[in-house]
Amino acid sequence: MLAPTDNHPLPLCRLAALDDPGSKGFVVQGRQLFAVRQGSQVFVYENRCPHRGIPLEWVADQFLDSSGKLIQCASHGALFLPESGECVAGPCSGASLTPVASHIEAGQVWLDSDQ
Ligand code: FES
């Protein structure tokens, strides 16, 4: 689990390190995660497709479709809404990515501590 013993948020990355729109993969305390930026918002999910339970990307840091507006699993093309993680097309339609609570403060993306 991510829960740090000191109950403080964990720094993930600078907001400026994410393209807009853009995405980036991370390994945090042994967990595979990815972040998606859409304008001033950032959404963080576990990097595990609900279809087969495998990582979504084939190319490092590429989690978005060609429009930059949807998260895409490279294996079988499932598409997910960045803001909710809901699968809207593909073999796991109706299922959802697992969200990781985060927030932005002072130009930094933080993972919340209570998870
Ligand atoms: S593993 Fe993601 S769509 Fe099949």
Side-chain angles (χ1 to χ4, degrees), residues 49 51-52 54 73 75-78 91:
C49 182
H51 179 217
R52 290 277 168 83
I54 59 176
C73 179
S75 288
H76 308 107

